[in-house]
Amino acid sequence: MVGYAKEVEAVGKVFNVSGDCKPKLHYMVDITERLKKIKEFVDRGEYFVMNRARQYGKTTTLRALKGYLQEEYTVISLDFQKLGAHVFRDENTFSLVFARYFLNELKRDKQSLKDGMKEITCEIQEIVQAEKNNFNLFELFLKLDRICDESDKPVVLLIDEVDNAGNTQVFFDFLAQLRGCYLDRDETPTFRSVILAGVYDIKNLKLKIRADGEHHTNSPWNIAADFDVDMSLSESGIAGMLKEYEQDFQTGMDIGDMAELLFDYTSGYPYLVSRLCKLMDEYIVGSEDFPDKKEVWTKEGFLTAVRRLLTEENTLFESLDHKLIDYPELKEMLKDLLLKGRTIEYVPGDMGIRMAAMFGFVKVENGMVSVANRIFETRLYNGFLAEQARQMEIAQYAAEEKNQFIVDGQLDMERVIRKFVSHYTELFGSNNEKFLEDNGRSIFLLYLKPIINGTGNYYIEARTRNNRRTDVIIDFRGQQSVIELKLWRGMEYNRRGEEQLLDYLRAYDLKKGYMISFNFNQKKQTGVNRIVLGDKVLIEAVV
């Protein structure tokens, strides 16, 4: 491993999306502040679970934490992913394998194997080698307690990928033993702190299944402290990583602007930040539009990376897709949130919201549920719209007429709006009102997507997405457009919408904005109007 590390270090650092990040090999955000906060839990003797979504930096954090704690603690770091399913088939098998694994990790810490430790480690070694068939969890924890008693430093146990234990009785009993250690820690030597890491919140797993088929959601891990450390990457942290990269390559990028873009689109989701950087650094650079690194580390290069990311299959997206298949109620909740603009309030104990947050789909802010980041939101939109596109004739119209909307290499959004009104009126003019009210924004996005596909990006402004209003932001070859989609609620409401759109145009330094109102009044007047308000032009459509 040392030889490999030196060889890679000689080649230079890269952005990493496979496994944990290593400071000598990879460009990464400095997580020292995160480690300091986690150490406070350890210093207090807390037992807790670090549950975060897939590829959210859990393993990177645990490995860095081990080194960060070693001066004050004996740290035993285990990974249940290395254990096969057979290990959890019965208590004796698990106890022997765990003892062997624990002992092996203990031996790596040479300072821990003092004279007082030799006797107990030899005892465990003999048990493991003999494969004693009466060695159980109770005996295992007696030995572990002795190790904690003999150690010169407090012992901290880290276990990564605890999800691999599955829904097994052995794992349930293992947690019960840890709980007993925690409760008796004032009388019996035991671990100073225990940290479990995985996607699932161990406190809420359905871990025990009785013979009568009754499921229990209560777990012995109810002694765990609430782990509230933010593991997302901050904008300033991303900037620090880019500064290191810039020192190596002198691309001339605006580090502040690039860090802001990365954070705006990812909300600091570690995998997404690294993947976008990796796409720019290794895959987009050298293309016709971006011949060198100076060209690629720009806003247009970034947006190209976003388009590529949204169309690729990777391990994170595959995991999210599987969750949508496995949990249909989760998929329906996200459809309500995105396509219908439904407001979803966080309700403690709501399993649907809890699952969505646990898997990384959503976040809860100010008591309201929203999609976790712009990348996830756009990909979910794309997936949901693709399911409808096969049945929506309007998307085919847009695909067939795509070329007429591109003028001198730029998107003629006014023409897009006018043609959309024409096709919408033709196809849906007499359709069911409720169907249209729930699906109007979906129909427009279906129409828009084939027009900008491969060249432009779109995203939904989360602050304005609700069942009455949605703002769509489009980036097309450096040109931005803002389109407000809303339900018609009368002239006064329309005037307020105009003012809101004007505010957006000022914020984005744009001269022209677009508004589409879905009107379900029987005597409505459809069409497109061009309105001049000061130095701004609004293209207002009513369908």
Side-chain angles (χ1 to χ4, degrees):
M1 177 61 193
V2 175
Y4 168 76
K6 287 184 176 180
E7 181 180 343
V8 175
E9 195 172 350
V11 173
K13 291 185 177 182
V14 297
F15 292 103
N16 177 53
V17 293
S18 304
D20 66 305
C21 291
K22 305 180 188 303
K24 291 185 178 181
L25 307 180
H26 306 128
Y27 293 109
M28 59 181 291
V29 170
D30 184 356
I31 61 172
T32 302
E33 288 304 312
R34 182 191 307 173
L35 300 179
K36 287 181 181 178
K37 292 179 180 177
I38 298 175
K39 184 175 180 295
E40 291 176 6
F41 282 77
V42 175
D43 292 341
R44 293 195 300 264
E46 305 280 19
Y47 286 31
F48 59 96
V49 59
M50 187 188 298
N51 73 285
R52 293 295 185 272
R54 289 289 178 205
Q55 295 177 291
Y56 213 93
K58 298 184 295 295
T59 300
T60 295
T61 299
L62 281 183
R63 295 197 174 188
L65 183 63
K66 179 179 180 180
Y68 192 76
L69 296 174
Q70 278 182 327
E71 184 175 339
E72 298 180 40
Y73 298 97
T74 294
V75 184
I76 305 299
S77 180
L78 310 180
D79 184 351
F80 273 9
Q81 196 169 32
K82 296 179 179 180
L83 309 181
H86 71 284
V87 171
F88 301 94
R89 67 189 177 191
D90 60 64
E91 189 173 328
N92 178 238
T93 302
F94 176 82
S95 299
L96 288 170
V97 173
F98 188 92
R100 182 184 297 114
Y101 194 0
F102 189 99
L103 195 60
N104 184 64
E105 293 303 308
L106 183 63
K107 288 179 178 178
R108 292 174 181 268
D109 188 349
K110 305 298 183 184
Q111 292 185 346
S112 296
L113 297 179
K114 306 285 180 145
D115 291 340
M117 295 280 273
K118 290 181 179 178
E119 181 180 348
I120 181 59
T121 54
C122 287
E123 287 182 21
I124 296 175
Q125 189 69 47
E126 290 175 3
I127 291 171
V128 169
Q129 290 178 343
E131 296 187 352
K132 290 183 61 175
N133 58 17
N134 62 345
F135 188 61
N136 54 34
L137 283 170
F138 180 74
E139 294 290 334
L140 170 66
F141 273 83
L142 287 179
K143 304 299 183 188
L144 296 179
D145 287 346
R146 281 187 58 191
I147 286 177
C148 293
D149 190 29
E150 298 291 347
S151 177
D152 288 346
K153 295 184 290 186
V155 181
V156 176
L157 177 63
L158 314 179
I159 305 180
D160 198 6
E161 300 290 350
V162 292
D163 308 76
N164 274 49
N167 199 16
T168 64
Q169 182 66 44
V170 169
F171 184 54
F172 184 88
D173 293 338
F174 174 72
L175 291 180
Q177 289 287 343
L178 285 174
R179 180 177 185 271
C181 290
Y182 178 83
L183 295 176
D184 294 340
R185 65 194 186 284
D186 58 333
E187 299 178 356
T188 305
T190 189
F191 300 113
R192 175 59 171 269
S193 178
V194 175
I195 306 171
L196 308 183
V199 172
Y200 290 86
D201 185 349
I202 307 302
K203 290 184 289 186
N204 299 307
L205 275 176
K206 291 183 177 180
L207 292 168
K208 189 172 184 179
I209 305 176
R210 290 183 176 178
D212 59 8
E214 181 185 355
H215 292 258
H216 283 253
T217 56
N218 290 328
S219 141
W221 204 240
N222 58 11
I223 45 88
D226 291 329
F227 181 71
D228 56 359
V229 176
D230 186 0
M231 291 181 61
S232 61
L233 306 181
S234 66
E235 186 176 324
S236 61
I238 296 171
M241 175 182 67
L242 294 179
K243 183 177 180 180
E244 182 183 4
Y245 177 87
E246 184 66 10
Q247 289 171 345
D248 289 342
F249 293 101
Q250 292 84 47
T251 70
M253 80 166 86
D254 187 315
I255 292 175
D257 286 352
M258 186 58 63
E260 183 179 5
L261 279 171
L262 283 162
F263 185 80
D264 283 349
Y265 275 74
T266 67
S267 295
Y269 199 113
Y271 175 88
L272 297 177
V273 172
S274 294
R275 185 59 183 166
L276 286 169
C277 289
K278 192 175 186 69
L279 288 171
M280 285 187 281
D281 181 54
E282 297 181 22
Y283 295 93
I284 296 173
V285 68
S287 63
E288 182 178 349
D289 291 333
F290 306 99
D292 56 41
K293 292 184 185 293
K294 292 183 182 295
E295 297 291 335
V296 79
W297 288 94
T298 59
K299 182 176 181 180
E300 191 55 40
F302 170 80
L303 294 176
T304 301
V306 169
R307 287 196 296 275
R308 178 156 180 163
L309 174 61
L310 288 169
T311 57
E312 73 176 10
E313 295 297 336
N314 56 53
T315 54
L316 176 59
F317 289 166
E318 288 171 359
S319 175
L320 295 179
D321 290 343
H322 289 155
K323 295 297 185 297
L324 295 179
I325 295 171
D326 294 340
Y327 302 96
E329 66 277 16
L330 172 62
K331 184 175 182 179
E332 289 307 310
M333 186 193 78
L334 291 169
K335 280 187 173 182
D336 282 350
L337 185 65
L338 295 178
L339 299 184
K340 299 179 182 179
R342 299 282 168 80
T343 298
I344 299 180
E345 184 177 355
Y346 172 68
V347 179
D350 186 303
M351 289 304 295
I353 296 175
R354 185 181 293 170
M355 284 195 317
M358 187 168 61
F359 296 141
F361 284 103
V362 303
K363 57 187 175 183
V364 179
E365 292 180 329
N366 300 319
M368 305 304 295
V369 177
S370 61
V371 177
N373 57 70
R374 195 177 290 175
I375 295 294
F376 282 3
E377 184 173 73
T378 304
R379 195 172 190 281
L380 286 168
Y381 264 115
N382 289 345
F384 295 154
L385 292 175
E387 294 175 356
Q388 299 181 35
R390 301 182 186 92
Q391 305 170 15
M392 287 292 188
E393 190 176 354
I394 198 166
Q396 186 61 35
Y397 281 167
E400 291 173 354
E401 299 176 353
K402 176 178 179 178
N403 291 337
Q404 70 172 282
F405 301 121
I406 312 301
V407 180
D408 296 330
Q410 290 296 341
L411 181 65
D412 187 338
M413 182 52 65
E414 183 171 346
R415 184 174 296 184
V416 172
I417 300 294
R418 292 183 181 279
K419 293 295 290 186
F420 171 73
V421 171
S422 175
H423 290 312
Y424 183 96
T425 302
E426 176 186 346
L427 292 171
F428 305 110
S430 60
N431 261 25
N432 178 269
E433 177 179 321
K434 183 62 178 175
F435 168 80
L436 291 174
E437 185 169 335
D438 278 352
N439 293 276
R441 75 195 70 206
S442 301
I443 294 170
F444 176 72
L445 292 175
L446 276 169
Y447 190 80
L448 176 68
K449 193 169 180 299
I451 296 173
I452 67 171
N453 191 37
T455 307
N457 301 298
Y458 77 92
Y459 66 89
I460 310 301
E461 174 50 67
R463 290 171 297 177
T464 63
R465 184 192 57 237
N466 55 48
N467 64 342
R468 293 190 173 187
R469 176 184 172 207
T470 294
D471 290 324
V472 181
I473 316 297
I474 298 171
D475 285 297
F476 192 94
R477 291 182 176 171
Q479 173 189 351
Q480 278 194 321
S481 302
V482 178
I483 304 101
E484 180 175 320
L485 309 176
K486 65 186 185 66
L487 300 180
W488 179 265
R489 291 287 189 263
M491 288 303 300
E492 181 59 32
Y493 183 76
N494 192 68
R495 279 192 288 272
R496 290 201 301 270
E498 290 174 346
E499 287 299 323
Q500 291 165 338
L501 183 54
L502 288 173
D503 288 342
Y504 253 117
L505 297 182
R506 297 184 190 105
Y508 282 86
D509 195 24
L510 298 173
K511 295 297 184 182
K512 185 185 289 188
Y514 308 88
M515 180 187 296
I516 301 177
S517 297
F518 296 92
N519 190 336
F520 302 105
N521 297 331
Q522 293 297 322
K523 298 180 180 180
K524 65 182 178 182
Q525 292 185 339
T526 62
V528 180
N529 294 313
R530 186 182 181 92
I531 301 173
V532 178
L533 295 174
D535 64 340
K536 310 295 183 185
V537 176
L538 303 186
I539 307 301
E540 294 190 11
V542 178
V543 294

